[in-house]
Amino acid sequence: MQSIFHLAYNVTDLDQARRFYGDVLGCAEGRSTDTWVDFDFFGHQISLHLGTPFKTERTGHVGDKLVPMPHLGVILLLDDWQALARRLREAGTEFVLEPQVRFEGQPGEQWTMFFTDPFGNPIEVKGFKSFESVYAA
């Protein structure tokens, strides 16, 4: 069984969402109306609807860090993760959690970064050397 993940959430300005998700993150725009727009979010579908963004808090304990919950995330191969981190830095993105490696030398070693879209919706992007190591215990 194959699938593509779909997530819909609120933003307050579709043009600003297009600039961030399209121009900064490089996501291709799909269908849209006056009240929502779809994006190909690294192979998955997100639908951004006009409305009040969901409430988030830094309550997720990961190692010695507190991360925003809930959050949207994607896992990329390390080269793609590094390219996206550079693009986000060049765009002046303010990071909730700067790009960094965690669990170094352990099973599940990963690179991570947290940032928010212009509406406060938190996004985590993880980088792995291979997809086979994503679920390493």
Side-chain angles (χ1 to χ4, degrees), residues 16-126:
Q16 191 175 18
R18 285 181 167 101
R19 286 190 296 277
F20 181 76
Y21 286 91
D23 298 341
V24 176
L25 293 183
C27 299
E29 185 174 331
R31 294 173 297 134
S32 66
T33 70
D34 291 341
T35 61
W36 58 265
V37 60
D38 283 345
F39 283 96
D40 177 343
F41 187 77
F42 305 96
H44 304 279
Q45 183 191 50
I46 58 172
S47 297
L48 307 177
H49 292 254
L50 288 176
T52 303
F54 55 85
K55 182 180 184 251
T56 64
E57 295 181 67
R58 286 193 188 189
T59 58
H61 293 268
V62 180
D64 63 347
K65 309 282 190 225
L66 283 175
V67 299
M69 295 298 291
H71 62 265
L72 162 68
V74 67
I75 297 172
L76 303 174
L77 290 175
L78 188 53
D79 288 344
D80 293 331
W81 182 90
Q82 291 169 332
L84 181 59
R86 279 192 301 276
R87 190 165 59 218
L88 288 165
R89 282 191 167 125
E90 289 168 1
T93 301
E94 185 177 323
F95 291 93
V96 173
L97 186 63
E98 289 284 333
Q100 61 190 269
V101 64
R102 66 179 170 200
F103 312 124
E104 191 168 12
Q106 300 175 47
E109 177 179 280
Q110 60 192 256
W111 287 256
T112 187
M113 58 181 146
F114 270 90
F115 51 92
T116 62
D117 72 7
F119 318 99
N121 295 308
I123 300 170
E124 177 183 23
V125 180
K126 295 180 182 184

